[in-house]
Amino acid sequence: MAEVSQPAGRFHWIKRHIPTRDTVHRYRLLRPFSRHLTHSSLWRMTRRSVPRGVALGLFVAVIIPVMHTAVAALLAIPARANVAVAAIFTLAVNPITIPPLYYAAYRIGSWELHHDAALVNPADAERFSGELSRLLFWIHQASGPIAVGVLTIAAAAAVFGYLVSALVWRFWSQSRWQQRRLSRA
């Protein structure tokens, strides 16, 4: 009996900390939006809302480096994605992962745009006086490849996250059904 309750114990902590439709009415700032926030797919862990939340959280986390948790939670409402899952998956991008992410975005964007860094003449950068001016010049030269790379990484992360979470959900639910069948037999 203790073996059966052990997996439920792990999910019990998650279920206890995920907001419910009833808790939305307790917060004064959320009351005007309560009509939109009470839709069941925003708070329940379903086979459709969880992959949507994963995809939305990863997409927003890559696109928006600051305040991405709040943005993902707000965008989960019209997308009918799980709000908590969308907010949790924004944590994949953090101050430790941002530098390699933006370097990869620059490399991917440069490859997609056929942008060669050697095309930028160092003499053009040198004619700007001061370190800040040179830094702004290099940022200007790299902004296009970075933007394209960030969009590519965000779209790929969202699609990959959606597919993986949908597959994991499917295998998990199949194993739960098999456990139920075995316990009945």
Side-chain angles (χ1 to χ4, degrees), residues 11-25:
F11 292 113
H12 180 69
W13 184 88
I14 293 171
K15 287 181 180 180
R16 196 175 59 211
H17 286 87
I18 291 177
T20 63
R21 289 189 276 178
D22 300 330
T23 61
V24 173
H25 300 292

Side-chain angles (χ1 to χ4, degrees), residues 15-161:
K15 287 181 180 180
R16 196 175 59 211
H17 286 87
I18 291 177
T20 63
R21 289 189 276 178
D22 300 330
T23 61
V24 173
H25 300 292
R26 294 181 192 163
Y27 300 101
R28 185 174 52 176
L29 294 173
L30 296 177
R31 282 187 198 139
F33 309 106
S34 65
R35 182 172 55 92
H36 301 289
L37 291 173
T38 55
H39 195 274
S40 63
S41 66
L42 298 176
W43 306 107
R44 292 181 56 208
M45 303 279 253
T46 65
R47 68 182 176 96
R48 289 189 179 104
S49 68
V50 169
R52 285 180 194 162
V54 170
L56 182 69
L58 290 173
F59 184 80
V60 168
V62 173
I63 294 288
I64 303 171
V66 181
M67 298 273 301
H68 49 258
T69 305
V71 172
L74 288 174
L75 290 177
I77 297 167
R80 296 288 189 234
N82 188 296
V83 174
V85 171
I88 288 170
F89 271 86
T90 60
L91 300 177
V93 175
N94 55 52
I96 295 171
T97 60
I98 285 177
L101 176 80
Y102 275 77
Y103 178 73
Y106 173 73
R107 300 294 292 187
I108 291 169
S110 294
W111 176 77
E112 287 178 333
L113 294 175
H114 304 290
H115 181 268
D116 188 10
L119 295 175
V120 179
N121 188 358
D124 291 339
E126 290 300 323
R127 66 177 191 187
F128 292 101
S129 62
E131 293 296 319
L132 181 61
S133 296
R134 279 189 224 135
L135 177 67
L136 291 175
F137 175 79
W138 287 108
I139 288 174
H140 173 70
Q141 292 297 319
S143 62
I146 289 174
V148 170
V150 164
L151 284 172
T152 303
I153 291 173
V159 169
F160 182 75

